[in-house]
Amino acid sequence: DEDDVKAPKEVTTWEWVRLNDQPAIWTRSASDVSDEEYKAFYKAISKDYMDPFAWTHFRGEGEVEFRSILYIPGKPPYNMFDNYYNTNSQLKLFVRKVLIRDDFEDLMPRYLNFIKGVVDSDDLPLSVSRETLQQHKAVKVIGKKLVRKTLDLLRKMADAEKRKSEKKDEDTDEEEEDEEERRRYRRRRGR
């Protein structure tokens, strides 16, 4: 009788909880991403505690399609000019949202190694060696577009700084002219 009674069986059930339900930030439209999200993403990918100085979020279309977010750090790296030939690029290369390389050097020239960000392309093959990827035509096209966008961002920043400086100079000139006018007025009244 006692042998016929089976002991209760213990059953373990697993329940999965999705921790990250947000789509990748670079796949979203630039208008849908807030400045706080850009800053938090920069801090996550760069391991920097400071906010970025500027960023650009764009989609490259044409013979190769890709999405990218490029950041200019808030503070230049301390060894920016010391290890020119030894510093690696700080761009992360993704193919279809799968990380391929953490420091893919062929996307940016060495003089832009301070730029940080991500590049995601659906046109690159997923399972290739580094050497094959370096020779891929799409990588060269993406690199040219990234350099162009980076230089445009730097040019816009320089133009904005120049306008700001000119406005400040004009304000200073106007203040000096006003002060000179006041002096002339005082002299005339004093006579």
Side-chain angles (χ1 to χ4, degrees):
D1 283 339
E2 291 178 19
D3 292 338
D4 291 344
V5 178
K6 294 184 179 179
K9 209 179 206 183
E10 190 172 307
V11 177
T12 304
T13 57
W14 297 93
E15 185 175 317
W16 294 95
V17 177
R18 181 177 221 145
L19 294 178
N20 186 4
D21 57 353
Q22 291 269 14
I25 190 172
W26 61 87
T27 61
R28 296 166 41 196
S29 170
S31 59
D32 295 341
V33 183
S34 69
D35 287 353
E36 290 78 29
E37 289 175 305
Y38 280 122
K39 291 174 184 176
F41 183 68
Y42 168 76
K43 290 176 182 178
I45 64 167
S46 68
K47 296 171 182 57
D48 194 355
Y49 63 92
M50 293 181 64
D51 287 339
F53 187 70
W55 62 85
T56 180
H57 181 176
F58 64 96
R59 181 183 178 105
E61 296 176 341
E63 56 186 291
V64 178
E65 289 194 20
F66 67 95
R67 293 167 299 280
S68 179
I69 301 177
L70 301 176
Y71 291 97
I72 296 176
K75 183 179 175 187
Y78 69 95
N79 63 349
M80 186 169 166
F81 300 111
D82 294 342
N83 295 327
Y84 181 77
Y85 293 103
N86 296 330
T87 53
N88 292 334
S89 174
Q90 298 179 15
L91 289 180
K92 297 180 186 313
L93 177 65
F94 288 80
V95 175
R96 297 181 204 112
K97 298 181 213 155
V98 176
L99 180 65
I100 301 298
R101 294 275 315 186
D102 248 352
D103 54 354
F104 195 68
E105 297 150 6
D106 295 329
L107 289 174
M108 287 283 202
R110 289 197 185 276
Y111 65 89
L112 292 174
N113 273 348
F114 63 94
I115 300 293
K116 299 178 182 187
V118 296
V119 178
D120 185 6
S121 176
D122 293 337
D123 295 340
L124 294 172
L126 261 174
S127 57
V128 292
S129 67
R130 181 174 181 252
E131 291 78 24
T132 307
L133 199 55
Q134 285 175 331
Q135 301 303 322
H136 204 280
K137 181 184 174 194
V139 171
K140 293 176 184 172
V141 172
I142 291 172
K144 284 181 184 178
K145 290 183 180 183
L146 290 175
V147 169
R148 190 175 315 127
K149 279 292 194 178
T150 303
L151 294 178
D152 283 345
L153 177 62
L154 292 171
R155 191 174 303 113
K156 286 177 187 175
M157 290 171 42
D159 289 345
E161 188 66 30
K162 185 178 177 183
R163 281 193 301 274
K164 185 175 159 185
S165 175
E166 287 173 352
K167 185 175 187 286
K168 185 177 178 182
D169 289 344
E170 287 175 6
D171 291 345
T172 304
D173 290 345
E174 288 175 8
E175 288 174 11
E176 289 173 0
E177 289 172 6
D178 290 345
E179 185 63 33
E180 185 64 33
E181 185 78 28
R182 283 188 217 116
R183 282 189 208 131
R184 278 190 240 134
Y185 178 72
R186 286 185 206 131
R187 282 187 217 138
R188 280 185 267 163
R189 287 195 72 201
R191 288 186 186 173

